[in-house]
Amino acid sequence: MFTADEGYYFGLGAFETIAVEEGKPVFLEEHYQRLLQALQFFELQVDFEKIQQKVQEALGEEPVKIGRKVLKITVSQKNIVVSTRENTYREEDYRQEFTAAYAKIRRNETSPLTYHKTLNYGDCILEKRRAKAQGIQEPVFLNTRGEIAEGAVSNVFFVKDGQIMAPPLSCGMLPGILRQYLYQNYEIHERIILPGQVPEFQEMFVTNSLLGIMPVRQMEDFVFPSMETGRRLREEYRSRYVL
């Protein structure tokens, strides 16, 4: 049973969405660690063993063991909710090629909430809906300084002359689990990127736990000449973690 608390009234809570491939959660420990960091940030005293127990119960359900699923953990002061659903990203999404555009809302790099996956998710949902209505797959936030920060539900990367580049964390973003994977396995060069500099790059791709690695064909009016690196990274990731 759900109990109204500060998570419901004020968004003081956290959540994680985890890809489940044929019953196996991907990067579960990394998601746990990020969740704990958010709960510590909110100073929430939560029984972590109870979270783990609910997760194992959910993973033990027969429908979760087949195909591509999503495990969602939502935690607030008085609630621990673990749910599952289908992963709606399909192979045709990768074949159709992503388009991106700048969000109307700015990402606040001065807010500590920006750096945790909290229940304060309204900006992302509103911009995602607006983009979808325009046929755009991912809105990209600029921060208050006008620098590229992150996508509504993703981290962003660019490629120039074979080098993978990304905005630094200080631009204002949630440090994604797939972002962490790329930083651990590849050489990532950090730099401030302004919208006017996007045409300097040959490629762009976005990442999140459910999507994996998605090449971007177009950012606003600029069409990237290549998606080679993004596609290669996606295949390498899939060979390791996706059955």
Side-chain angles (χ1 to χ4, degrees), residues 96-112:
Q96 288 174 358
E97 305 174 352
F98 255 34
T99 58
Y102 296 113
K104 299 297 184 184
I105 300 170
R106 292 293 178 102
R107 181 62 83 224
N108 182 5
E109 76 281 0
T110 70
S111 171

Side-chain angles (χ1 to χ4, degrees), residues 41-90:
F41 165 72
F42 282 124
E43 298 182 350
L44 297 178
Q45 303 299 318
V46 178
D47 185 349
F48 184 64
E49 290 186 358
K50 187 174 182 180
I51 296 175
Q52 291 177 304
Q53 178 184 350
K54 285 179 173 286
V55 166
Q56 292 307 313
E57 289 173 356
L59 292 174
E61 297 175 359
E62 289 303 317
V64 180
K65 299 178 182 180
I66 302 172
R68 307 188 69 214
K69 299 296 190 295
V70 177
L71 176 75
K72 184 172 183 177
I73 309 170
T74 306
V75 183
S76 60
Q77 185 179 20
K78 298 180 180 180
N79 299 280
I80 298 173
V81 179
V82 176
S83 60
T84 60
R85 61 175 173 83
E86 293 288 328
N87 188 336
T88 56
Y89 290 116
R90 294 291 181 260

Side-chain angles (χ1 to χ4, degrees), residues 159 202-203 215 217 225-234:
V159 180
Q202 287 89 44
E203 295 185 52
R217 170 55 75 190
S226 174
M227 294 191 293
E228 179 181 352
T229 303
R231 286 172 172 167
R232 173 176 59 82
L233 295 177
R234 175 178 180 256

Side-chain angles (χ1 to χ4, degrees), residues 5-17:
D5 59 9
E6 289 187 334
Y8 174 80
Y9 290 117
F10 308 118
L12 301 186
F15 73 99
E16 290 288 326
T17 49

Side-chain angles (χ1 to χ4, degrees), residues 192-209:
I192 303 296
I193 302 172
L194 302 174
Q197 297 170 325
V198 167
E200 299 176 11
F201 298 96
Q202 287 89 44
E203 295 185 52
M204 175 183 176
F205 60 89
V206 296
T207 64
N208 72 28
S209 292

